[in-house]
Amino acid sequence: MIARILRRTFLLALLPLLAACRFPVLDPKGQIGIEERNLIVTATLLMLIVVIPVIVMTLLFAWRYRDREGHSGYLPDWSHSGKIEAVVWAVPCVIIAVLAVITWNSSHDLDPYKPIDHDLKPINIQVVALDWKWLFIYPDEGIATVNEIVVPADRPLAFSITSSAMMNSFSIPELGGQIYAMAGMETKLHLIANEQGTFDGLSANYSGAGFSDMQFKVRAVSDEAYSAWIDTVHAGHNTLDGPSYETLAQPSSKVEASFFAQVTPGLFDDIVRNKYMVLSHPVEPRS
């Protein structure tokens, strides 16, 4: 009795700790994230149609058919039931068929390369995964940032993604989706923030010693605040070109957000072509 009370008290004491937990995938702030959350919930509920009855029947059968005196349900010659076979096979087949249709449709609707249908043109952002920080180039505005993205809310975002050397995974869980960043390759991701706020971004793929600090902030603001922020960045004096990029790409961690007022046109394409590849670890030449 005392052990039971202590166990329940311990579990209740853990509740305040759980209250501080955040589940951004289940509380999305963007259209893509909402559709992905709905897909996860739908698939889970469908699978529970099988899981819950199995758990209930396991407990029920263990109790009902336990070894006891006077039990009359023992059928030593029973070997087959068409009704049970029909239920055991038909229900999972129907669930798998429904999941297949939902997965097929969702795979096409949520294709990361598929532009979001919207009245406004997307904001183009070129993403470069460095060791261990993120570089974001706004080609249309001619500016760049490190470890911070500022975007207007309720406007599509078109990301073009690559890496300086190590493979990473670009992810903003509250907006949905993630996609790999690989050197010498360009991947695409389309997202949108349905409301204003600050969201966390990260690398979802281990890439070395500074991986845990490879995070950034996404600030979704009003159109007016976004225009004012562009003007503020343009007022700076830093320029991102080939030499300054090679300096920036050197491995470093816990890097504060910073900005570049000008960016050399075509720099992202040069990075994709490995013109400025900077390795975090020396590569021994082959003999």
Side-chain angles (χ1 to χ4, degrees), residues 55-75 84:
I55 294 175
V56 172
M57 286 189 293
T58 300
L59 299 175
L60 177 63
F61 290 177
W63 177 82
R64 181 177 176 81
Y65 298 106
R66 69 188 185 279
D67 185 13
R68 54 176 172 164
E69 185 177 356
H71 178 60
S72 59
Y74 180 54
L75 302 173
I84 294 178

Side-chain angles (χ1 to χ4, degrees), residues 22-209:
R22 296 180 64 247
F23 302 96
V25 174
L26 299 179
D27 184 26
K29 307 299 181 185
Q31 174 186 332
I32 302 300
I34 292 173
E35 294 182 18
E36 291 177 345
R37 188 271 315 275
N38 293 342
L39 176 61
I40 293 173
V41 173
T42 301
T44 302
L45 292 177
L46 283 172
M47 288 185 285
L48 287 179
I49 293 176
V50 171
V51 173
I52 291 179
V54 167
I55 294 175
V56 172
M57 286 189 293
T58 300
L59 299 175
L60 177 63
F61 290 177
W63 177 82
R64 181 177 176 81
Y65 298 106
R66 69 188 185 279
D67 185 13
R68 54 176 172 164
E69 185 177 356
H71 178 60
S72 59
Y74 180 54
L75 302 173
D77 298 327
W78 183 89
S79 62
H80 182 266
S81 171
K83 294 180 180 178
I84 294 178
E85 290 287 343
V87 173
V88 168
W89 288 103
V91 174
C93 288
V94 170
I95 292 175
I96 291 173
V98 173
L99 281 175
V101 173
I102 294 175
T103 303
W104 174 271
N105 293 331
S106 300
S107 297
H108 290 81
D109 294 339
L110 300 177
D111 182 356
Y113 281 61
K114 181 181 178 181
I116 295 175
D117 187 15
H118 201 279
D119 295 335
L120 299 176
K121 292 178 58 178
I123 300 293
N124 294 307
I125 302 177
Q126 297 167 333
V127 182
V128 183
L130 305 175
D131 295 330
W132 291 274
K133 49 193 170 289
W134 292 94
L135 170 64
F136 304 104
I137 301 173
Y138 292 67
D140 299 331
E141 287 78 13
I143 63 173
T145 68
V146 175
N147 281 350
E148 184 176 73
I149 302 176
V150 178
V151 297
D154 198 25
R155 184 164 175 180
L157 309 174
F159 294 99
S160 301
I161 305 165
T162 190
S163 174
S164 63
M166 297 291 291
M167 188 172 81
N168 285 272
S169 179
F170 179 75
S171 177
I172 307 173
E174 286 176 289
L175 301 187
Q178 67 87 27
I179 197 162
Y180 287 108
M182 294 169 283
M185 299 182 65
E186 179 181 348
T187 52
K188 301 283 187 180
L189 180 64
H190 291 84
L191 299 174
I192 187 172
N194 288 358
E195 58 186 74
Q196 298 181 27
T198 300
F199 315 118
D200 294 323
L202 50 87
S203 174
N205 185 82
Y206 180 73
S207 58

